[in-house]
Amino acid sequence: MKNIVILISGGGSNMAAIVRAAERDRWAERFSARIAAVVSNKPEAGGLAIAATHGIATAVVPHKEFPTREAFDEALAKVVDAHAPALVVLAGFMRILTPGFVGRYAGRLINIHPSLLPAFPGLHTHQRAIDAGCKVAGVTVHQVTTELDHGPILAQAVVPVLPDDTAATLAGRVLAQEHQLYPRAIAGWLADTSGHIL
Ligand code: GRF
C-alpha cells in the first residue's frame, strides 16, 4: 500500500477534496494507495476534524514549540516518517521547509500554489495578479525543491481574471479549480508510479 501523508495549516479544503477523490475514485483498489495521515503545524486547523471524520489519522506538530526551523522540520519528519509515505502532499501548508526536509522527500513531495507559476510565487498572489493587470490567473501543482514555489510543474489550470475581481473573488474562483486539479494531479502521479494508465 502506498501511503500518502497530507500536511495542512488551515481549513484543509484541498485536503478534503483529495480525500473525497480517493474515496470516490477508489485509489486503494486502483493504485493501492491511501491517505494515511493528515498532519498540521497548527492545533486549530479546521482540516483536522474533517480528516478524522473520514477515519484518517491526524497529528499536530506545533511549530511555535520549536526554537528553530530545523528543529521543527525534524520533529515533523519523525511524525511523517511514522507513516512510511510514498508521497507527501502540501495542501495549504504555510511553512517554509528546510533543505533537509525537502531533500529527505525528494521526488515525493508536492505542493499546490494558487498562481500560474513561475508567476507570483509567495504570498498575496491574487492581489498581485490583479495589480499586474493579468487577464488570466490560475493554480499550479509542482514538485517541491529548496526554492520557494519553484520545482517541476506537474499540472496547471487557468481561470479568467474578471474586471470587478477583488483578491477574494479571484481566490474563490482559483480555489474551485484547486479542488479539481490537486486530486487529478495526485492520481496522475500514482498512475505513473504504479505503471497504470489513468
Ligand atoms: C489554497 O489556496 C492553497 O493553494 C493556498 O492556501 C489555500 C489553502 O486552502 N496555499 P485550504 O487549506 O486547502 O482550504
Side-chain angles (χ1 to χ4, degrees), residues 9-15 91-94 112-114 126 175 178-179:
S9 297
S13 68
N14 276 295
M15 176 274 299
F93 184 69
M94 305 303 281
I112 191 161
H113 182 74
H126 305 299
L175 191 61
E178 293 183 46
H179 296 163

Side-chain angles (χ1 to χ4, degrees), residues 37-151:
V38 171
V39 183
S40 172
N41 63 310
K42 291 193 176 179
E44 68 275 18
L48 291 168
I50 300 173
T53 63
H54 287 265
I56 297 168
T58 63
V60 177
V61 184
H63 66 273
K64 286 184 179 159
E65 290 180 12
F66 296 87
T68 61
R69 224 173 252 291
E70 284 73 18
F72 167 70
D73 278 10
E74 252 172 56
L76 182 64
K78 241 182 221 155
V79 171
V80 169
D81 282 350
H83 300 280
L87 183 66
V88 178
V89 173
L90 308 181
F93 184 69
M94 305 303 281
R95 297 288 303 167
I96 293 173
L97 294 163
T98 56
F101 189 96
V102 171
R104 187 185 196 100
Y105 303 105
R108 54 187 173 121
L109 180 60
I110 64 174
N111 182 43
I112 191 161
H113 182 74
S115 80
L116 290 173
L117 292 175
F120 311 122
L123 295 174
H124 311 300
T125 53
H126 305 299
Q127 191 58 53
R128 286 156 66 205
I130 291 169
D131 292 346
C134 294
K135 301 300 178 206
V136 294
V139 52
T140 303
V141 175
H142 66 98
Q143 293 209 30
V144 175
T145 58
T146 49
E147 202 177 341
L148 181 71
D149 296 331
H150 277 71

